[in-house]
Amino acid sequence: MLEKIDLSKKMSKNECKDLMERLTPQLSLLQREMRKRGVPVMIVFEGFGSSGKGTMINELIQPMDPRGFKVFTIQRPTREEAMHPYLWRFWTKLPENGRIHIFDRSWYTKIVEDRAEGRRNREKTENCYNNILDFEKELTQSGMLIIKFFLHISRKEQKKRFKVLESAEETRWRVTEDDWKHNRDYDEWLKAFEEMIQKTDTDFGSWTIIEATDREYAKAKILSKVVEIFGAWLSEAERKAKAEALSEEIPPEEETQKIFGASVLDAVDLSRSLSKTVYKKKLKELQGRMELLHSEIYRQRIPVVIGFEGWDAGGKGGAIRRLTQTMDPRGYEVVPTAAPNDFEKAHHYLWRFWNRMPAAGHVAIFDRTWYGRVLVERIEGFCTKNEWQRAYSEINRMEADLSDAGAIVLKFWMHIDKEEQERRFNERMEDPNKRWKITDEDWRNREKWNDYVKAVDEMILRTSTTYAPWVIVEGNDKYYARIRVLETVVEAIENRLAAKDV
């Protein structure tokens, strides 16, 4: 495919200048309109070494408002980045709505390097490309626009450019022994790039191949393509808006039958309890084991992600306090999740959680989690039906990425019955030191108890996996619930350590 492309295409400077005089004001106008519409954009530049990625990025951004974009140069991962799942550093670099993030190399770089250097077999490569396709599809489904450019030059042209760089004192440092090795292995890199394009050229993230021998031609083609894509996106958005305005409101589809059978929560035995004496004995023993295990997971660089969901007053805070009581505070973080602020709302809903995921050897404990999308956001109408239905697979993919990177992922649903919740609410209302924990919204949420039961059922059935299981904690008795949480975490860590020793 790439070897058949005509790399001799050229454009005169005068012809390019005339075209730029038309394109640059259009691009400036379109950038402002995309920002006004709140469209997040990612533009990816991949290609051979010395194909001109940096130069082309500079040409692209010249007509743009510098307040509306940011350029990332993707080098080898930092120590911090290497301690997270591979896509973590790209999740944390997502643009907020209305901004453009431009990548000089991207999430494709390492896969192509490994393939060209023979460090990755076909099965692993296939898995990596599938993960990337899921990543791009998920972003575009949430409203992201992804534009991908591949800058192509011949082996001969690359060699010539290396020699030009080496001939000048101020640019000699830019050419390394690895660069010359890549030129010698040009055919292997060509195959790796072809595989990348073939496997990831999709309707939601298509590649545009840039014949980059002549820089005037390459510049003109890149700016023309961005203007074309921005214009097409805005035209399609306008068409959809008009169609929606003309269409009659369609009443929501009525459910004719339950998708799932009896509630998974119905089977929970809430009568389980522990005496205070047994509780104290078990608590001391488990916390002692947790203290040692915390040191061991740090030593072996195992990340741990623990999520707590449950009914209001279900005992999340108490369980978290007992879990962390003997842990080294330098090695864990408790992340309380409130309603997203305006900045967080301007990103993909998982962005703020990816930013708080633990580095290898650390523990992140989430008091409320990313499951808010399929619980409170679903029930309160803060997201569309399509968005919360899509979230199950998006969340499963995120948790799979964490697990594949070596993380232990556990999720607890702290379960109590409606009567126990009312008792705890009243108890808090009567205690001046706990009254702040109860709000009018907590009381209102009780009126939607059955809606939440349905949502929790679906959530557990669709997102409890072998790599990130849901644990329903019988919580009417606080002593029993706290011990159940501790036992589960301790057992999961001990099993992981035992498996590593085998």
Side-chain angles (χ1 to χ4, degrees), residues 282-313:
K282 283 181 172 286
L283 182 66
K284 183 178 180 180
E285 185 257 329
L286 287 166
Q287 286 182 333
R289 287 161 67 186
M290 190 65 214
E291 183 177 11
L292 296 174
L293 290 170
H294 192 207
S295 296
E296 190 61 21
I297 61 173
Y298 180 79
R299 188 180 72 82
Q300 297 200 28
R301 292 292 185 263
I302 300 171
V304 180
V305 178
I306 303 173
F308 282 86
E309 290 286 354
W311 299 108
D312 294 328

Side-chain angles (χ1 to χ4, degrees), residues 449-461:
W449 183 279
N450 291 336
D451 293 333
Y452 274 99
V453 167
K454 178 183 174 183
V456 171
D457 271 354
E458 191 168 356
M459 173 189 77
I460 291 171
L461 288 167

Side-chain angles (χ1 to χ4, degrees), residues 259-289:
I259 298 175
F260 303 107
S263 166
V264 294
L265 299 180
D266 290 343
V268 178
D269 182 3
L270 290 174
S271 67
R272 293 184 176 182
S273 62
L274 289 176
S275 68
K276 191 170 186 178
T277 302
V278 173
Y279 165 71
K280 286 185 174 181
K281 181 180 178 181
K282 283 181 172 286
L283 182 66
K284 183 178 180 180
E285 185 257 329
L286 287 166
Q287 286 182 333
R289 287 161 67 186

Side-chain angles (χ1 to χ4, degrees), residues 22 152 157 270 330 349 377 468 498:
R22 298 198 303 272
H152 188 21
E157 177 66 20
L270 290 174
R330 296 169 296 180
Y349 74 99
E377 291 184 36

Side-chain angles (χ1 to χ4, degrees), residues 145-327:
L145 176 61
I146 300 177
I147 302 172
K148 301 186 295 193
F149 292 111
F150 177 79
L151 274 61
H152 188 21
I153 56 174
S154 66
R155 185 205 304 261
K156 182 179 178 181
E157 177 66 20
Q158 185 185 53
K159 185 176 182 179
K160 184 177 82 172
R161 292 185 183 187
F162 285 167
K163 285 186 174 181
V164 170
L165 289 171
E166 280 193 334
S167 66
E169 184 71 32
E170 61 272 17
T171 58
R172 190 172 300 150
W173 62 272
R174 293 173 57 184
V175 183
T176 67
E177 181 55 40
D178 279 346
D179 290 325
W180 282 115
K181 183 179 184 302
H182 293 170
N183 184 253
R184 291 192 297 271
D185 297 337
Y186 179 92
D187 289 342
E188 293 303 316
W189 283 84
L190 186 70
K191 290 177 185 176
F193 281 130
E194 283 189 336
E195 181 181 56
M196 172 193 79
I197 293 168
Q198 288 170 355
K199 290 187 176 298
T200 62
D201 189 47
T202 63
D203 56 352
F204 51 82
S206 62
W207 285 100
T208 298
I209 298 172
I210 305 297
E211 301 86 341
T213 305
D214 182 76
R215 291 180 178 176
E216 304 298 328
Y217 179 88
K219 174 174 68 174
K221 185 169 182 178
I222 288 169
L223 265 71
S224 296
K225 192 65 178 178
V226 173
V227 166
E228 176 191 329
I229 292 173
F230 280 6
W233 193 98
L234 291 168
S235 296
E236 179 64 13
E238 186 175 347
R239 185 194 67 77
K240 287 181 178 179
K242 287 181 179 178
E244 289 174 5
L246 292 172
S247 64
E248 294 181 358
E249 185 177 348
I250 301 173
E253 181 181 347
E254 293 186 7
E255 289 186 316
T256 56
Q257 61 181 16
K258 292 185 73 173
I259 298 175
F260 303 107
S263 166
V264 294
L265 299 180
D266 290 343
V268 178
D269 182 3
L270 290 174
S271 67
R272 293 184 176 182
S273 62
L274 289 176
S275 68
K276 191 170 186 178
T277 302
V278 173
Y279 165 71
K280 286 185 174 181
K281 181 180 178 181
K282 283 181 172 286
L283 182 66
K284 183 178 180 180
E285 185 257 329
L286 287 166
Q287 286 182 333
R289 287 161 67 186
M290 190 65 214
E291 183 177 11
L292 296 174
L293 290 170
H294 192 207
S295 296
E296 190 61 21
I297 61 173
Y298 180 79
R299 188 180 72 82
Q300 297 200 28
R301 292 292 185 263
I302 300 171
V304 180
V305 178
I306 303 173
F308 282 86
E309 290 286 354
W311 299 108
D312 294 328
K316 295 181 294 296
I320 292 170
R321 280 195 297 276
R322 273 68 183 185
L323 175 62
T324 59
Q325 207 156 16
T326 58
M327 293 168 62

Side-chain angles (χ1 to χ4, degrees), residues 459-471:
M459 173 189 77
I460 291 171
L461 288 167
R462 296 185 66 172
T463 62
S464 190
T465 60
T466 55
Y467 51 82
W470 274 105
V471 178

Side-chain angles (χ1 to χ4, degrees), residues 365-422:
I365 301 169
F366 291 86
D367 183 354
R368 301 284 187 196
T369 70
W370 40 96
Y371 284 96
R373 168 121 320 191
V374 298
L375 293 174
V376 64
E377 291 184 36
R378 165 186 175 171
I379 291 169
E380 299 297 337
F382 296 150
C383 64
T384 67
K385 182 177 182 180
N386 182 54
E387 285 172 335
W388 64 256
Q389 287 181 332
R390 195 173 66 230
Y392 297 117
S393 59
E394 293 171 345
I395 287 169
N396 284 339
R397 283 197 295 270
M398 180 182 77
E399 292 172 354
D401 281 347
L402 294 169
S403 177
D404 290 345
I408 298 171
V409 184
L410 293 171
K411 302 168 308 198
F412 294 101
W413 175 263
M414 307 300 289
H415 188 46
I416 56 176
D417 60 34
K418 203 171 182 180
E419 292 72 25
E420 176 64 17
Q421 185 188 59
E422 184 177 18

